[in-house]
Amino acid sequence: MKRLAIAADHGGYPLKTKLIEVAGGLGWAVLDLGTDSAEHPVDYPDSARDVGLALQEGRAERGIVLCGSGVGACIAANKMKGIRAGVCHDTYSAHQGVEHDDMNVLCIGARIIGSELASEITRAYLGATFQNEERLVRRLNKVLALERGG
Ligand code: RB5
């Protein structure tokens, strides 16, 4: 079964339950890494780290991190080795980011879009697979070289 790790800070929390339902409905096993309330502040790098670690440790193949804008979570997640995160507030980016760029963490801002669009974006993201074409692999390898420092 495909596994998804999801986490949110207090700003992203309002979307989390809905997206867990969406992913579960698509047959994904969901690892919920919190937070569990919009009331208590949580630092978005901690949410991103929890999801990134789940991928690095092989506990999930894909991740979603939710914060207020999606931006902070994305910046933090991309600092982690092996993580290719993107903020997607449209369905095209959500599937093309996987198909062309092998995006493995989707970041969404719960203060930017509503739950129905976020659900569609999640479906597009989880339904997509990397297209193993030469030009895409070449570009991905260049990204991985950047990650190694050059
Ligand atoms: C929290 O208030 C907010 O700064 C955070 O959720 C996120 O938007 C950061 O990018």
Side-chain angles (χ1 to χ4, degrees), residues 62-124:
R62 294 279 184 90
I64 294 178
V65 190
L66 306 168
C67 69
S69 66
V71 174
C74 187
I75 291 172
N78 276 315
K79 299 295 181 189
M80 299 182 71
K81 189 171 171 54
I83 302 305
R84 292 175 294 283
V87 180
C88 299
H89 290 147
D90 67 278
T91 55
Y92 178 81
S93 303
H95 68 79
Q96 204 233 24
V98 176
E99 292 161 354
H100 285 206
D101 311 323
D102 205 17
M103 175 172 71
N104 55 13
V105 173
L106 169 68
C107 301
I108 295 177
R111 294 173 180 163
I112 310 299
I113 62 171
S115 66
E116 292 309 316
L117 179 54
S119 299
E120 291 296 318
I121 288 167
T122 297
R123 288 188 194 98

Side-chain angles (χ1 to χ4, degrees), residues 29-90:
V30 181
L31 179 60
D32 181 357
L33 298 171
T35 186
D36 296 318
S37 156
E39 308 308 319
H40 306 291
V42 171
D43 295 336
Y44 65 81
D46 296 334
S47 309
R49 181 173 182 274
D50 287 345
V51 167
L53 280 176
L55 269 65
Q56 288 178 335
E57 294 171 357
R59 289 180 281 125
E61 290 74 45
R62 294 279 184 90
I64 294 178
V65 190
L66 306 168
C67 69
S69 66
V71 174
C74 187
I75 291 172
N78 276 315
K79 299 295 181 189
M80 299 182 71
K81 189 171 171 54
I83 302 305
R84 292 175 294 283
V87 180
C88 299
H89 290 147
D90 67 278

